[in-house]
């Protein structure tokens, strides 16, 4: 089945700086790569996603890049703000969900230092 | 419209007991997935139901089971509880398996003593 590795597990950055979280996946048939944000005590929520026919996608201060050949994708957050502090999860799945559903990485705890 | 509703939100059980958790999806969502969340392990996929059929299952023992009703509501059951089953159980729904975004409930926090 699919295996998603996520790094780093904890990331501390100064407010206003950029943050980058990286993920690798194992199943070359995976074509859907979402990122979820989970604030303390709250439910995970989708912040951005990308499909394998696209190499990069941006939404205001966040962007995701995908390298299908290397089987890795990254989340980029620019001009970080205190409200960006949360746990971020990457995920991957095959078309239609596949046999393993949506496989998540173990999460990155992003800390924004004032 | 109403979000994903999970009940109960908190529960405490002892080893050997069983537990049933419930998930009511967003109106129109027919796919329901269940995830176990523990510190350090992230979100681990349990199973997904669509149109009352289990369409895939994660790597969990047979003590973990689920079902889906005709109104798309889903339940999951854990029998013969073990200490390691203590976790936050999250339900996530979407219109159908081909739709990308999952909408999560707030979870049911299970503590096994």
């Amino acid at each position: 089945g699919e295996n998603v590795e996520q790094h780093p597990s904890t990331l501390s950055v100064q407010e206003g700086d950029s943050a980058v979280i990286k993920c690798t996946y194992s199943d070359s048939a995976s074509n859907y790569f979402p990122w979820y944000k989970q604030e303390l005590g709250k439910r995970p929520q989708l912040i951005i996603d990308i499909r394998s026919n696209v190499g990069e996608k941006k939404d205001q201060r966040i962007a995701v890049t995908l390298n299908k050949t290397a089987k890795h994708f990254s989340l980029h957050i620019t001009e970080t703000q205190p409200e960006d502090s949360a746990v971020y999860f990457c995920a991957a799945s095959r078309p239609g969900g596949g046999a393993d559903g949506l496989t998540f990485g173990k999460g990155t705890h992003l800390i924004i230092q004032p | 419209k109403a979000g994903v509703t999970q009940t109960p939100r908190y529960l405490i059980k002892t080893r050997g007991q069983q537990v049933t958790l419930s998930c009511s999806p967003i109106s129109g969502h027919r796919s329901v997935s269940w995830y176990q969340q523990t510190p350090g392990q992230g979100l681990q996929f349990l199973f997904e139901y669509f149109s009352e059929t289990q369409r895939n299952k994660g790597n969990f023992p047979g003590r973990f089971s689920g079902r889906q009703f005709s109104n798309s509501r889903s339940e999951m059951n854990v029998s013969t509880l073990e200490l390691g089953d203590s976790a936050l159980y999250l339900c996530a729904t979407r219109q159908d398996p081909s739709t990308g975004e999952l909408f999560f409930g707030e979870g049911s926090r299970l503590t096994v003593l």
Side-chain angles (χ1 to χ4, degrees):
Chain A
E2 174 67 275
N3 182 50
V4 177
E5 299 283 343
Q6 182 172 349
H7 300 280
S9 57
T10 303
L11 177 61
S12 181
V13 301
Q14 290 292 125
E15 183 178 347
D17 287 350
S18 296
V20 180
I21 302 170
K22 299 181 179 182
C23 290
T24 59
Y25 61 99
S26 62
D27 187 352
S28 57
S30 288
N31 75 333
Y32 176 63
F33 308 92
W35 288 85
Y36 284 79
K37 175 184 180 182
Q38 186 176 29
E39 297 179 15
L40 187 62
K42 297 191 176 181
R43 70 190 79 190
Q45 291 189 297
L46 180 73
I47 55 171
I48 195 168
D49 57 9
I50 192 169
R51 295 191 182 271
S52 59
N53 58 344
V54 176
E56 183 176 3
K57 184 176 179 181
K58 290 183 179 180
D59 183 4
Q60 299 183 352
R61 296 187 298 108
I62 61 173
V64 58
T65 58
L66 171 65
N67 183 324
K68 284 177 57 180
T69 303
K71 289 191 281 189
H72 68 70
F73 56 113
S74 302
L75 177 71
H76 304 253
I77 305 175
T78 59
E79 300 173 11
T80 53
Q81 300 170 4
E83 55 265 36
D84 295 329
S85 292
V87 178
Y88 291 80
F89 293 96
C90 62
S93 77
R94 287 186 167 204
D100 301 326
L102 192 61
T103 302
F104 285 85
K106 293 186 177 180
T108 295
H109 185 194
L110 177 61
I111 302 166
I112 308 300
Q113 302 279 6
Chain B
K1 58 186 175 182
V4 180
T5 303
Q6 289 189 246
T7 57
R9 292 290 315 282
Y10 302 92
L11 64 167
I12 299 174
K13 294 285 186 178
T14 56
R15 281 183 298 172
Q17 287 187 311
Q18 71 166 17
V19 65
T20 299
L21 310 177
S22 177
C23 173
S24 294
I26 293 171
S27 178
H29 286 196
R30 294 184 296 149
S31 165
V32 178
S33 299
W34 288 90
Y35 287 85
Q36 181 193 67
Q37 185 173 26
T38 54
Q41 291 300 312
L43 295 157
Q44 293 186 286
F45 175 71
L46 282 156
F47 27 65
E48 179 180 17
Y49 286 87
F50 177 67
S51 294
E52 302 178 65
T53 301
Q54 184 183 94
R55 63 184 303 272
N56 43 35
K57 189 177 191 302
N59 189 25
F60 278 83
R63 300 185 296 108
F64 292 81
S65 63
R67 59 178 175 168
Q68 186 180 33
F69 302 95
S70 59
N71 62 357
S72 295
R73 189 178 70 85
S74 176
E75 289 181 347
M76 69 162 281
N77 183 276
V78 188
S79 62
T80 319
L81 284 167
E82 301 177 358
L83 296 178
D85 297 333
S86 294
L88 180 67
Y89 290 89
L90 289 163
C91 164
T93 77
R94 51 187 172 179
Q95 290 179 325
D96 61 68
S98 67
T99 308
E101 183 174 3
L102 288 174
F103 291 83
F104 283 86
E106 293 186 299
S108 292
R109 184 165 296 282
L110 170 65
T111 301
V112 182
L113 302 176

